[in-house]
Amino acid sequence: MISISEAFKLIQQTVKPMPIESVTLADSVDRVLAADVCSDVDSPPHDKSVMDGYAVMSQDIAEGRREFEVVETIAAGAWPRKKLTTGRVARIMTGAPMPPGADAVVMIEQTESKEVDGRSIVTLQVEELKAGKHMMPKASNISVGQTVFSTGHQIRATDIGLLAETGAAAIQVFGNPEIAVLPTGDELVRCDEKPNQGLIRNSNGPMLVAMARSLGLQVQDLGIGRDNESELTRLISNGLESEVLLLSGGVSMGEFDLVPPILAKAGVEQVFHKVAVKPGKPIWFGVLDRPDRTTYVFGLPGNPVSSLVGFHLFVRTALRMMTGHKSIEPSSVVAELSLAHEARGDRPTYWPGRWVQDESAQRKFEPLQWQGSSDLTTLGQAEALAYFSAGTKTHPAGETVRVFPL
Ligand code: AMP
Ligand code: MG
């Protein structure tokens, strides 16, 4: 049996990022950049007005002039035709390029215009006007060639506008693995069936499929595998076509725990079996290397909370490595316990709990009354898992613990 940190280390030593592929901007959300994205334009592309108003030479205002001749109107998308000279201004719209000579904008609300002998005249009602007022210089956001996002960045929906602006129509990202999910056990029936005597519904299959999908990955649902060597062998060999095979059940020491020997026969090399963690001790991890591709295999324990925690800690770490993430291990925060917690046992434990607020609105972690690795009911109320080290000990309220959001 190895420690949790040894398991993380072995996963990091074994798992390689997926090959790089190109996706369209629209398909890039949640993917991780495999190359820096650089802008092919300046932003803004020209000195531009950020107000509807009049583009002026601030020097004119400083010298006391308030009445001007309007020489042209510049709309957004148009290009100025005239250079400003003393006593002349241009009507300008938000986003439009500043005419040469102009260095500030007076907003339309501070102006009054009239026609005199067929000429358009405007009075600018301002006390003073600093150069640069209500305009943005060319390239003040980004210059051509500047890095917008670096390799390893996971693209968010809110990043898409900037990527579009800077011309990133095709984006280099790390590939997305396909994950095959195979829960095993003679006692399992589908969730749309009523279990007969001695049987239970397959919780892990749908849960693992959903957890993998929530990471944006493609899933191959292999249905339920029976504890039968030839059937499991066939299903496992199907699952080994995917980049990741997730099994649940059949990895403990029971008479019908057939998964590790079948994996060994299929050529999957064991990296570890059993981690000192509660829940989830029997977890199995291995790799099948072939000339053209690699498949990583996780055998998660059958108890649903063990499967859930095993996925959250170890499978997710492997998937983040495969998809090119910079930070690999599960993220956590430090929080105070709102209640005392009795820790028991010889293995470090991830204990479910929820967030509560004390009188001063400080967020604290409340450990829930959890019955152990088969108790998914309590997980239904849980928002996070708190880490408690091995050993029998009372952790008083107010003690700080490391908390892993679910
Ligand atoms: P195993 O790891 O196969 O020994 O299973 C451990 C426990 O988890 C047993 O009580 C199983 O009935 C239960 N179990 C196994 N697979 C599943 C599953 N897919 N959904 C719900 N419970 C399961
Ligand atoms: Mg079983």
Side-chain angles (χ1 to χ4, degrees), residues 183-184 187-188 200-205 248-252 257 300-304:
T184 70
E187 72 277 39
L188 303 178
I200 55 167
R201 290 201 177 99
N202 166 29
S203 313
N204 294 345
S248 92
V251 290
S252 309
D257 290 332
L300 297 166
N303 269 311

PDB file of all heavy atoms in Angstrom, residues 183-184 187-188 200-205 248-252 257 300-304, ligand 1:
ATOM      1  N   PRO A 183     -18.555  -0.275 -15.054  1.00  0.00           N
ATOM      2  CA  PRO A 183     -18.798  -0.770 -13.702  1.00  0.00           C
ATOM      3  C   PRO A 183     -18.983  -2.285 -13.763  1.00  0.00           C
ATOM      4  O   PRO A 183     -19.538  -2.795 -14.734  1.00  0.00           O
ATOM      5  CB  PRO A 183     -20.108  -0.079 -13.298  1.00  0.00           C
ATOM      6  CG  PRO A 183     -20.768   0.313 -14.572  1.00  0.00           C
ATOM      7  CD  PRO A 183     -19.725   0.401 -15.652  1.00  0.00           C
ATOM      8  N   THR A 184     -18.476  -2.972 -12.745  1.00  0.00           N
ATOM      9  CA  THR A 184     -18.584  -4.438 -12.753  1.00  0.00           C
ATOM     10  C   THR A 184     -19.289  -4.931 -11.493  1.00  0.00           C
ATOM     11  O   THR A 184     -19.196  -4.294 -10.439  1.00  0.00           O
ATOM     12  CB  THR A 184     -17.196  -5.104 -12.807  1.00  0.00           C
ATOM     13  OG1 THR A 184     -16.547  -4.897 -11.538  1.00  0.00           O
ATOM     14  CG2 THR A 184     -16.329  -4.532 -13.906  1.00  0.00           C
ATOM     15  N   GLU A 187     -24.183  -8.102  -8.883  1.00  0.00           N
ATOM     16  CA  GLU A 187     -25.328  -7.602  -8.116  1.00  0.00           C
ATOM     17  C   GLU A 187     -25.978  -6.372  -8.758  1.00  0.00           C
ATOM     18  O   GLU A 187     -26.951  -5.850  -8.251  1.00  0.00           O
ATOM     19  CB  GLU A 187     -24.881  -7.269  -6.682  1.00  0.00           C
ATOM     20  CG  GLU A 187     -24.006  -6.028  -6.511  1.00  0.00           C
ATOM     21  CD  GLU A 187     -22.517  -6.256  -6.783  1.00  0.00           C
ATOM     22  OE1 GLU A 187     -22.186  -7.011  -7.723  1.00  0.00           O
ATOM     23  OE2 GLU A 187     -21.699  -5.652  -6.072  1.00  0.00           O
ATOM     24  N   LEU A 188     -25.426  -5.895  -9.862  1.00  0.00           N
ATOM     25  CA  LEU A 188     -25.858  -4.598 -10.389  1.00  0.00           C
ATOM     26  C   LEU A 188     -26.986  -4.721 -11.404  1.00  0.00           C
ATOM     27  O   LEU A 188     -26.962  -5.588 -12.275  1.00  0.00           O
ATOM     28  CB  LEU A 188     -24.672  -3.882 -11.050  1.00  0.00           C
ATOM     29  CG  LEU A 188     -23.461  -3.649 -10.153  1.00  0.00           C
ATOM     30  CD1 LEU A 188     -22.345  -2.981 -10.945  1.00  0.00           C
ATOM     31  CD2 LEU A 188     -23.833  -2.809  -8.933  1.00  0.00           C
ATOM     32  N   ILE A 200     -28.654  -4.499  -6.409  1.00  0.00           N
ATOM     33  CA  ILE A 200     -28.696  -3.041  -6.195  1.00  0.00           C
ATOM     34  C   ILE A 200     -28.535  -2.363  -7.558  1.00  0.00           C
ATOM     35  O   ILE A 200     -28.084  -2.988  -8.522  1.00  0.00           O
ATOM     36  CB  ILE A 200     -27.559  -2.530  -5.260  1.00  0.00           C
ATOM     37  CG1 ILE A 200     -26.186  -2.962  -5.792  1.00  0.00           C
ATOM     38  CG2 ILE A 200     -27.775  -3.007  -3.841  1.00  0.00           C
ATOM     39  CD1 ILE A 200     -25.019  -2.262  -5.121  1.00  0.00           C
ATOM     40  N   ARG A 201     -28.885  -1.097  -7.595  1.00  0.00           N
ATOM     41  CA  ARG A 201     -28.725  -0.379  -8.858  1.00  0.00           C
ATOM     42  C   ARG A 201     -27.275   0.048  -9.052  1.00  0.00           C
ATOM     43  O   ARG A 201     -26.534   0.265  -8.087  1.00  0.00           O
ATOM     44  CB  ARG A 201     -29.626   0.853  -8.883  1.00  0.00           C
ATOM     45  CG  ARG A 201     -31.096   0.504  -8.986  1.00  0.00           C
ATOM     46  CD  ARG A 201     -31.869   1.697  -9.510  1.00  0.00           C
ATOM     47  NE  ARG A 201     -33.287   1.381  -9.682  1.00  0.00           N
ATOM     48  CZ  ARG A 201     -34.229   1.708  -8.814  1.00  0.00           C
ATOM     49  NH1 ARG A 201     -33.921   2.373  -7.707  1.00  0.00           N
ATOM     50  NH2 ARG A 201     -35.483   1.399  -9.054  1.00  0.00           N
ATOM     51  N   ASN A 202     -26.915   0.162 -10.293  1.00  0.00           N
ATOM     52  CA  ASN A 202     -25.577   0.618 -10.677  1.00  0.00           C
ATOM     53  C   ASN A 202     -25.488   2.136 -10.509  1.00  0.00           C
ATOM     54  O   ASN A 202     -25.934   2.892 -11.361  1.00  0.00           O
ATOM     55  CB  ASN A 202     -25.334   0.215 -12.139  1.00  0.00           C
ATOM     56  CG  ASN A 202     -24.140   0.918 -12.755  1.00  0.00           C
ATOM     57  OD1 ASN A 202     -23.187   1.282 -12.043  1.00  0.00           O
ATOM     58  ND2 ASN A 202     -24.183   1.107 -14.062  1.00  0.00           N
ATOM     59  N   SER A 203     -24.927   2.576  -9.375  1.00  0.00           N
ATOM     60  CA  SER A 203     -24.756   4.025  -9.149  1.00  0.00           C
ATOM     61  C   SER A 203     -23.495   4.529  -9.833  1.00  0.00           C
ATOM     62  O   SER A 203     -23.447   5.646 -10.339  1.00  0.00           O
ATOM     63  CB  SER A 203     -24.579   4.344  -7.662  1.00  0.00           C
ATOM     64  OG  SER A 203     -25.526   3.689  -6.895  1.00  0.00           O
ATOM     65  N   ASN A 204     -22.460   3.721  -9.792  1.00  0.00           N
ATOM     66  CA  ASN A 204     -21.145   4.222 -10.222  1.00  0.00           C
ATOM     67  C   ASN A 204     -21.067   4.539 -11.700  1.00  0.00           C
ATOM     68  O   ASN A 204     -20.436   5.532 -12.089  1.00  0.00           O
ATOM     69  CB  ASN A 204     -20.059   3.193  -9.906  1.00  0.00           C
ATOM     70  CG  ASN A 204     -19.884   3.010  -8.419  1.00  0.00           C
ATOM     71  OD1 ASN A 204     -20.363   3.822  -7.642  1.00  0.00           O
ATOM     72  ND2 ASN A 204     -19.211   1.943  -8.039  1.00  0.00           N
ATOM     73  N   GLY A 205     -21.694   3.669 -12.528  1.00  0.00           N
ATOM     74  CA  GLY A 205     -21.605   3.881 -13.978  1.00  0.00           C
ATOM     75  C   GLY A 205     -22.086   5.279 -14.355  1.00  0.00           C
ATOM     76  O   GLY A 205     -21.295   6.101 -14.851  1.00  0.00           O
ATOM     77  N   SER A 248     -15.175   0.086 -12.257  1.00  0.00           N
ATOM     78  CA  SER A 248     -15.466   0.147 -10.823  1.00  0.00           C
ATOM     79  C   SER A 248     -15.851  -1.235 -10.354  1.00  0.00           C
ATOM     80  O   SER A 248     -16.448  -2.010 -11.104  1.00  0.00           O
ATOM     81  CB  SER A 248     -16.540   1.173 -10.503  1.00  0.00           C
ATOM     82  OG  SER A 248     -17.808   0.581 -10.501  1.00  0.00           O
ATOM     83  N   GLY A 249     -15.476  -1.529  -9.117  1.00  0.00           N
ATOM     84  CA  GLY A 249     -15.759  -2.835  -8.524  1.00  0.00           C
ATOM     85  C   GLY A 249     -14.721  -3.859  -8.945  1.00  0.00           C
ATOM     86  O   GLY A 249     -13.961  -3.664  -9.896  1.00  0.00           O
ATOM     87  N   GLY A 250     -14.697  -4.951  -8.189  1.00  0.00           N
ATOM     88  CA  GLY A 250     -13.852  -6.086  -8.568  1.00  0.00           C
ATOM     89  C   GLY A 250     -12.356  -5.880  -8.409  1.00  0.00           C
ATOM     90  O   GLY A 250     -11.567  -6.614  -8.999  1.00  0.00           O
ATOM     91  N   VAL A 251     -11.960  -4.874  -7.615  1.00  0.00           N
ATOM     92  CA  VAL A 251     -10.513  -4.672  -7.431  1.00  0.00           C
ATOM     93  C   VAL A 251     -10.057  -4.981  -6.005  1.00  0.00           C
ATOM     94  O   VAL A 251      -8.908  -4.769  -5.661  1.00  0.00           O
ATOM     95  CB  VAL A 251     -10.060  -3.226  -7.798  1.00  0.00           C
ATOM     96  CG1 VAL A 251     -10.140  -3.010  -9.291  1.00  0.00           C
ATOM     97  CG2 VAL A 251     -10.857  -2.164  -7.052  1.00  0.00           C
ATOM     98  N   SER A 252     -10.992  -5.494  -5.175  1.00  0.00           N
ATOM     99  CA  SER A 252     -10.604  -5.814  -3.790  1.00  0.00           C
ATOM    100  C   SER A 252     -10.053  -7.234  -3.731  1.00  0.00           C
ATOM    101  O   SER A 252      -9.618  -7.768  -4.736  1.00  0.00           O
ATOM    102  CB  SER A 252     -11.817  -5.661  -2.868  1.00  0.00           C
ATOM    103  OG  SER A 252     -12.412  -4.408  -3.083  1.00  0.00           O
ATOM    104  N   ASP A 257     -13.329 -10.844  -7.394  1.00  0.00           N
ATOM    105  CA  ASP A 257     -12.650  -9.613  -7.812  1.00  0.00           C
ATOM    106  C   ASP A 257     -11.648  -9.943  -8.907  1.00  0.00           C
ATOM    107  O   ASP A 257     -10.468 -10.216  -8.662  1.00  0.00           O
ATOM    108  CB  ASP A 257     -11.990  -8.927  -6.602  1.00  0.00           C
ATOM    109  CG  ASP A 257     -13.045  -8.339  -5.674  1.00  0.00           C
ATOM    110  OD1 ASP A 257     -14.145  -7.996  -6.186  1.00  0.00           O
ATOM    111  OD2 ASP A 257     -12.790  -8.231  -4.470  1.00  0.00           O
ATOM    112  N   LEU A 300     -11.518   1.446  -9.914  1.00  0.00           N
ATOM    113  CA  LEU A 300     -11.985   2.121  -8.698  1.00  0.00           C
ATOM    114  C   LEU A 300     -12.753   1.128  -7.848  1.00  0.00           C
ATOM    115  O   LEU A 300     -13.397   0.219  -8.381  1.00  0.00           O
ATOM    116  CB  LEU A 300     -12.895   3.300  -9.079  1.00  0.00           C
ATOM    117  CG  LEU A 300     -12.206   4.405  -9.880  1.00  0.00           C
ATOM    118  CD1 LEU A 300     -13.238   5.335 -10.508  1.00  0.00           C
ATOM    119  CD2 LEU A 300     -11.265   5.191  -8.986  1.00  0.00           C
ATOM    120  N   PRO A 301     -12.699   1.280  -6.523  1.00  0.00           N
ATOM    121  CA  PRO A 301     -13.447   0.369  -5.661  1.00  0.00           C
ATOM    122  C   PRO A 301     -14.947   0.494  -5.931  1.00  0.00           C
ATOM    123  O   PRO A 301     -15.421   1.541  -6.372  1.00  0.00           O
ATOM    124  CB  PRO A 301     -13.124   0.856  -4.257  1.00  0.00           C
ATOM    125  CG  PRO A 301     -11.953   1.771  -4.395  1.00  0.00           C
ATOM    126  CD  PRO A 301     -11.986   2.315  -5.770  1.00  0.00           C
ATOM    127  N   GLY A 302     -15.692  -0.593  -5.665  1.00  0.00           N
ATOM    128  CA  GLY A 302     -17.115  -0.608  -5.995  1.00  0.00           C
ATOM    129  C   GLY A 302     -17.977   0.303  -5.155  1.00  0.00           C
ATOM    130  O   GLY A 302     -18.983   0.841  -5.627  1.00  0.00           O
ATOM    131  N   ASN A 303     -17.612   0.502  -3.899  1.00  0.00           N
ATOM    132  CA  ASN A 303     -18.444   1.360  -3.071  1.00  0.00           C
ATOM    133  C   ASN A 303     -18.513   2.754  -3.688  1.00  0.00           C
ATOM    134  O   ASN A 303     -17.481   3.341  -4.015  1.00  0.00           O
ATOM    135  CB  ASN A 303     -17.893   1.439  -1.647  1.00  0.00           C
ATOM    136  CG  ASN A 303     -18.510   0.372  -0.765  1.00  0.00           C
ATOM    137  OD1 ASN A 303     -19.735   0.220  -0.759  1.00  0.00           O
ATOM    138  ND2 ASN A 303     -17.672  -0.373  -0.057  1.00  0.00           N
ATOM    139  N   PRO A 304     -19.731   3.270  -3.856  1.00  0.00           N
ATOM    140  CA  PRO A 304     -19.886   4.497  -4.632  1.00  0.00           C
ATOM    141  C   PRO A 304     -19.067   5.686  -4.118  1.00  0.00           C
ATOM    142  O   PRO A 304     -18.498   6.421  -4.916  1.00  0.00           O
ATOM    143  CB  PRO A 304     -21.378   4.790  -4.549  1.00  0.00           C
ATOM    144  CG  PRO A 304     -22.009   3.455  -4.367  1.00  0.00           C
ATOM    145  CD  PRO A 304     -21.033   2.659  -3.537  1.00  0.00           C
TER     146      PRO A 304
HETATM  147  P1  AMP B   1     -16.501  -4.477  -4.904  1.00  0.00           P
HETATM  148  O1  AMP B   1     -15.453  -3.406  -5.000  1.00  0.00           O
HETATM  149  O2  AMP B   1     -16.849  -5.053  -6.225  1.00  0.00           O
HETATM  150  O3  AMP B   1     -16.154  -5.501  -3.898  1.00  0.00           O
HETATM  151  O4  AMP B   1     -17.792  -3.741  -4.389  1.00  0.00           O
HETATM  152  C1  AMP B   1     -17.802  -3.124  -3.116  1.00  0.00           C
HETATM  153  C2  AMP B   1     -19.200  -2.703  -2.759  1.00  0.00           C
HETATM  154  O5  AMP B   1     -19.656  -1.722  -3.691  1.00  0.00           O
HETATM  155  C3  AMP B   1     -20.230  -3.806  -2.819  1.00  0.00           C
HETATM  156  O6  AMP B   1     -21.133  -3.610  -1.745  1.00  0.00           O
HETATM  157  C4  AMP B   1     -20.926  -3.589  -4.135  1.00  0.00           C
HETATM  158  O7  AMP B   1     -22.220  -4.075  -4.121  1.00  0.00           O
HETATM  159  C5  AMP B   1     -20.890  -2.110  -4.265  1.00  0.00           C
HETATM  160  N1  AMP B   1     -20.863  -1.725  -5.677  1.00  0.00           N
HETATM  161  C6  AMP B   1     -20.035  -2.242  -6.611  1.00  0.00           C
HETATM  162  N2  AMP B   1     -20.246  -1.678  -7.796  1.00  0.00           N
HETATM  163  C7  AMP B   1     -21.234  -0.775  -7.627  1.00  0.00           C
HETATM  164  C8  AMP B   1     -21.915   0.108  -8.492  1.00  0.00           C
HETATM  165  N3  AMP B   1     -21.596   0.206  -9.789  1.00  0.00           N
HETATM  166  N4  AMP B   1     -22.890   0.892  -7.993  1.00  0.00           N
HETATM  167  C9  AMP B   1     -23.221   0.796  -6.683  1.00  0.00           C
HETATM  168  N5  AMP B   1     -22.606  -0.008  -5.808  1.00  0.00           N
HETATM  169  C10 AMP B   1     -21.631  -0.813  -6.265  1.00  0.00           C
END
